[in-house]
Structures are given as structure tokens and as C-alpha cells.
Amino acid sequence: DAKTTQPTSMDCAEGRAANLPCNHSTISGNEYVYWYRQIHSQGPQYIIHGLKNNETNEMASLIITEDRKSSTLILPHATLRDTAVYYCIVRVPGNTPLVFGKGTRLSVIA
Amino acid sequence: GAVVSQHPSRVICKSGTSVKIECRSLDFQATTMFWYRQFPKKSLMLMATSNEGSKATYEQGVEKDKFLINHASLTLSTLTVTSAHPEDSSFYICSARVSGASTEAFFGQGTRLTVV
């Protein structure tokens, strides 16, 4: 799996959009971008994934650059419950395990 | 989404004893499940891949005789920490993916193991 680079931590004001960047400059053509988050003392939670088109679901939006070397996860209206570590992972879909990097610790502040 | 249930959520055991952690896929079949461990303020580290009806595949540095994995059915995988020591204290997490589908993985809620 290609490696990703994420900022160690970020702060966001409650109610504002949280934009979490991820660099994956060595991504290959058949690798998808996945985002998971882990709230303290819980298992990771799937958020969203995409290949090259922007994606949106009830939790977040995923913006992937045209060259696919970076992406941004957007939480449109962050709440205190969105405080978590967010992991960006690139991989080929299949029955292989997710490999987690260090992620970004997002703190949503009231 | 699909539900993965892990039990127990928290366990304290004495050094030298064994502890079994269960991971169940509640509403789907999972041919393959994955086991991770996580130390405080660290990321998840893959320990092993559990395959239904066959032997687990362990990551380098993980002792297969210490961390026994059994995947006896399409909905249950167990991790047994044998002869536990305080350094085995950690957060253990399982993950499963729907059989035959290249979809996202689902995770259990984790098990906090404390060995005293």
C-alpha cells in the first residue's frame, strides 16, 4: 500500500467545517483513498472512500485532486463528537487488511 | 453498516493466565477477519489475518503460540492471549469485511486488556 502523510493534529471550532488534508503522492492507478476515524477507546469507524471523483455521504465529503496525489476530508459542520483521530489510507479494494498510519488528531472546540 | 461485536470490552487478568477475546460479525459472513493491537497514543498495528477454516497468518514479530487465533465459523473469530504478561496489556481490535465484497472494513469496539 502507498504511504500517506497527514498533519499530526488540527483544531476546529464547533459548527465550522473541518478540512483534513492527506498527501498520497505515490498512489497507484488502482488504489482507492479511504478515510476512517477512531474516537477515544473505540474501534475505527468507516467514513468514506473514493477513487478519483469527489464523494459525499451523510458523514463527510471527500475531495481528491485531479492528479490523485492528495485529498481532503471535509466535515461540513463539526461537532464535539467529531473529536477523534482521522486516518487516511490508500489501498486496492480487496480482502487485504487496512494498514494504519499515525493519522490526524482532530479536536473540535466549543 | 454491518456490525462487528467484540467481547469482552474490558478484562483484567492475572499474569500467567489466558484470556479469550471474541469477534463476531452479527449480520454478515466474514471469510476473513483481522486482529490489531493498539498501545496508548499509538496507531493500530496489524497482528494477524484470520481465515475461516484455516490457520491464521501472523505479522512479523507476533508470536503465534502466544496469540492463538481460531476462526471456526464465518461469523466468529477468537483471539486467545496465552500466559499473559503485563506487557501484553493493550487495546485489541478486530475487523471484518463482508465475504466476497470489496467494500469497507468494519471494526469491533475493541477490548481493553489489563494484565496485573
Side-chain angles (χ1 to χ4, degrees), chain A:
Chain A
D1 292 346
K3 291 186 176 180
T4 62
T5 304
Q6 299 178 251
T8 302
S9 64
M10 293 181 64
D11 292 339
C12 177
E14 187 179 21
R16 303 297 292 270
N19 298 290
L20 292 91
C22 179
N23 286 321
H24 31 80
S25 59
T26 60
I27 191 171
S28 58
N30 58 349
E31 288 182 313
Y32 283 64
V33 180
Y34 287 79
W35 282 84
Y36 281 77
R37 73 179 183 184
Q38 185 179 25
I39 296 171
H40 183 62
S41 294
Q42 297 183 24
Q45 176 189 22
Y46 166 81
I47 301 173
I48 199 167
H49 74 282
L51 180 62
K52 56 182 179 181
N53 296 322
N54 297 338
E55 302 287 344
T56 296
N57 62 20
E58 64 278 5
M59 290 184 67
S61 294
L62 173 61
I63 308 299
I64 303 174
T65 58
E66 193 169 341
D67 63 7
R68 302 208 323 122
K69 293 185 177 181
S70 66
S71 61
T72 301
L73 178 74
I74 301 173
L75 307 179
H77 305 286
T79 70
L80 298 178
R81 288 178 292 182
D82 292 321
T83 293
V85 178
Y86 288 75
Y87 297 98
C88 169
I89 301 169
V90 294
R91 63 185 296 273
V92 177
N95 214 17
T96 54
L98 292 166
V99 178
F100 290 82
K102 296 181 179 180
T104 296
R105 183 172 297 276
L106 175 68
S107 298
V108 181
I109 303 167

